[in-house]
Amino acid sequence: MDFRLTEDQRDLRAGIRDLLAGRYGREALRESVRASESSGVASSGAVSSGVVSSGAVVDRRLWRELGEAGFFSLRLPESEGGVGLGLPEAVLVFEEAGRALLPGPLVATHLAAGAVPGAASGSAVVTAFDLGGPLVAYLGEADAVLGAEGLPAGEPVRSVDPLTPLWRSSGVLPSGYREAGALLTAALQLGSALRTVELAVRYAGEREQFGQPIGGFQAVKHLCARMLVRAEVARTAVYAAAVTGDAAEIAAAKLLADEAAVRGARDCLQVHGGMGFTWEADVHLHLKRAWVRAEQWHTAPEAEELLAARLGAEAEEEAVAEAEAAAMG
Amino acid sequence: MDLAHTEEEQEFRARLRAWLAKVLPELPARPSPDDWPGRRAYDLGWQRRLYDAGYAGLHWPVDAGGRGATPTQHLIFLEETERAGAPYVGANFVGLLHAGPTIAAEGTAEQRARWLPPVLRGEEVWCQGFSEPGAGSDLAALRTKAVRDGDAYVVTGSKIWTSHAEVADWCELLVRTDPAAPKHKGISWLAMPMDAPGVTVRPLRTLAGSAEFAEVFLDEVRVPVANRVGAENDGWRVTMVTLSFERGTAFVGEVVACRRTLGALARAAKANGRWDDPVLRRRLGRLYGEFGALWRLTQWNVSEAQGSGGVPGVGGSVFKLAYSHARQELYDAAAEVLGAGALSLEEEWTLERLSSLSYTIAAGTSQIQRNIVAERILGLPKGR
Ligand SMILES: Cc1cc2nc3c(=O)[nH]c(=O)nc-3n(C[C@H](O)[C@H](O)[C@H](O)COP(=O)(O)OP(=O)(O)OC[C@H]3O[C@@H](n4cnc5c(N)ncnc54)[C@H](O)[C@@H]3O)c2cc1C
């Protein structure tokens, strides 16, 4: 057993981190927020325009570059033009995308690789009915919906997250995708959670009050420490679930990563004080995206029920085994 | 990221499992929690069996009498013994996980030869005399003084919260050897015989009703200078080695035990109908997920330690914070399963619930652990 990342895995992660730092740094992130507002998909209150025509948030050129880098075809066998890697590598790559707050239906397009033409190469944008209800993200700019014939009609809805345009439509998630979808979404949450720890720690080291950096105050320190503990527990849960592919471990990973991301962003906001409540700081972007992802694939109640069912089944097996042992002895 | 075990590790597990299946039925009945001499004999007897079978000091270095096993093998050992319901380290805790590793790392050849074999063979019990009435979280503020007199130190002061003091043969004792030096610089680490004249042990009752720990009064106790481990006034550094062992590996077996408890909780909840309450059911489901993740975190830390030569890192603080909280949640959930039954001390889970309250205090409180995480991992400014 050696749970640590291999050299190749570390290189892969560093590669995608460099690519995203170059192509989707803070400037690009804020530019997409501005673009989404002018196209009217955002919900910033001030921009409550009715006509939502294009609403494009996905940068098609970047999408194709991601395709070329193997982001979508990562788990496709080499014989089918893919990279031939597995879930452990995929979670590392998605963790980086989560850290960068990269918008777009990354998980659905990745899952569609090999099934929907153009998904693997990043020439197609594929979304999915992963929100469990009438809402679906990115419908207006999607070329396909996972498992659906043609594009369903939809009504735009003002979205809480400026970078996740939402549409009211109807459709269902085809079976067979939920587990991988939940795990990769958990990896996005993990990246966001780790990023909010960094943002909080950096701000706490810079901002001074009462003649000292606020990071010297224990109340602030302990918020940061709690953020890290949640993120590190989520990290091992996500990585282990990627290795075992076990349904219950995936549910636990999603549950813990959702919590690490949502609560991490909340604590990060608190550390930033009034600055944290502004549109200008990135904190709200992490929080809003984390809220969206928490509703995708596996919600907390679903994950908890799934885990309870596994616990209950295991407990009954043990009871039977004990009864048999007693009968024999 | 490899969670599979090597062939060697699998063989190790199989051999251990077979051995446990053979010896566990031969064990005497467990003594009652209040029978201290009985507990000592029981715990030492188990250690002796481990020694005879070649499982004692598994993770200790070979030149200290250990087996030089990899951290992964040690993990398998803790997992299998717990799963089979084998006795816990009990009174051997300080000797095996604390004082022993410290002596192995910092002691002279004579000191290792004197103290390590009896720990491995299950002949001597150690306790830890660190905390004092005036020095808890701020351990370096300790005041028990040791004055050199010929080839001995004359030690005077008092220790508190000393677990297993009543049945211990030796105490790993922190004393102040230089009152003029800055507080971290004047401390030494001594091995003190508990039967030395001038040592008085007064048991303290815990909120669970039992006497798990004690006050230890020291009145001009003579401890040979030869019993000092490490240089004079270098005891703080020696202590830090000891504490990293404590936080790194001490709770591994307990995570396995908690997962078993969860299974028993689910069975009890199904039997009494509370499983049908979705709030409780989801709570248990979440705990199941959390303890699974904590087990993975353990494997992560062990893999990291394996890569860095065996000394556990600060990752132990992250683990301890998450684990101590989860353990308290577990027994609160148990109380919800039991309902009013949780008020009865005849329920094992009620006693466990009481004892779980110490987890966020002993071995460094959660607040102190958060300071460590914030300052040493995240690099935030040090507090005054
Ligand atoms: C069951 C049990 C067994 C033990 N066994 C042993 C043993 O065998 N040997 C031994 O030497 N000791 C032992 N201890 C002692 C244990 O290590 C101490 O209790 C612990 O370190 C806390 O010290 P204290 O009790 O003096 O609390 P204090 O240090 O007085 O702390 C009281 C409160 O103040 C908080 N606090 C203190 N300093 C700070 C700070 N800088 N920042 C924020 N908050 C702070 C603490 O977190 C805590 O909430 C045991 C304790 C228990 C409960």
Side-chain angles (χ1 to χ4, degrees), chain A residues 1-4 9 218 221-222 226 236 240 244 249 255 259 304-305 307-308 310 314-316 318-319, chain B residues 1-2 4 9 263 267 270 275 281-282 285-286 288 293 296 300 303 307 367 370-371 374-375 378 381 383:
Chain A
M1 180 196 84
D2 188 354
F3 199 175
R4 290 174 304 164
Q9 288 170 337
Q218 210 170 48
K221 255 185 214 175
H222 286 194
R226 283 170 182 272
T236 44
T244 65
E249 279 204 280
L255 182 69
E259 197 167 280
E304 285 171 348
E305 284 289 6
L307 287 161
R310 173 70 70 87
E314 273 182 15
E316 269 164 23
E318 262 167 56
Chain B
M1 276 188 227
D2 184 6
E9 288 162 354
R267 281 198 295 276
K270 285 186 176 203
W275 185 258
R281 196 170 59 231
R282 282 179 54 188
R286 161 176 289 264
Y288 179 73
R296 298 308 190 185
W300 179 265
S303 295
Q367 285 72 31
R370 283 188 199 107
N371 288 348
E375 290 167 12
L378 297 176

Side-chain angles (χ1 to χ4, degrees), chain A residues 206-245:
Chain A
E206 287 166 4
R207 169 74 176 163
E208 293 194 4
Q209 284 294 280
F210 300 95
Q212 66 167 78
I214 56 167
F217 296 116
Q218 210 170 48
V220 173
K221 255 185 214 175
H222 286 194
L223 277 180
C224 295
R226 283 170 182 272
M227 291 168 74
L228 185 77
V229 170
R230 285 192 299 260
E232 288 296 332
V233 173
R235 184 209 294 275
T236 44
V238 169
Y239 290 2
V243 173
T244 65

Side-chain angles (χ1 to χ4, degrees), chain B residues 33-34 36 39 162-166 202-214:
Chain B
D34 289 325
W36 276 102
R39 278 174 68 174
T162 317
S163 305
H164 299 117
E166 276 181 281
R202 196 169 70 90
L204 290 167
R205 241 178 133 196
T206 72
L207 55 68
S210 59
E212 288 287 332
F213 48 30

Side-chain angles (χ1 to χ4, degrees), chain A residues 52-126:
Chain A
V52 185
S53 47
S54 68
V57 160
V58 178
D59 174 348
R60 291 277 181 164
R61 232 184 59 198
L62 176 55
W63 208 253
R64 275 190 298 274
E65 278 174 51
L66 287 170
E68 276 160 34
F71 191 94
F72 302 119
S73 62
L74 196 75
R75 293 186 303 129
L76 219 52
E78 284 176 277
S79 57
E80 292 172 40
V83 187
L85 292 172
L87 278 175
E89 287 75 22
V91 295
L92 295 176
V93 165
F94 273 77
E95 179 185 327
E96 291 307 317
R99 177 184 289 271
L101 273 175
L102 190 65
L106 294 159
V107 173
T109 304
H110 176 100
L111 294 176
V116 176
S121 65
S123 52
V125 171
V126 184

Side-chain angles (χ1 to χ4, degrees), chain B residues 154-177:
Chain B
V154 179
V155 181
T156 300
S158 63
K159 295 289 172 178
I160 196 166
W161 321 126
T162 317
S163 305
H164 299 117
E166 276 181 281
V167 293
D169 304 290
W170 293 92
C171 178
E172 50 164 347
L173 189 73
L174 289 184
V175 293
R176 186 155 303 282
T177 33

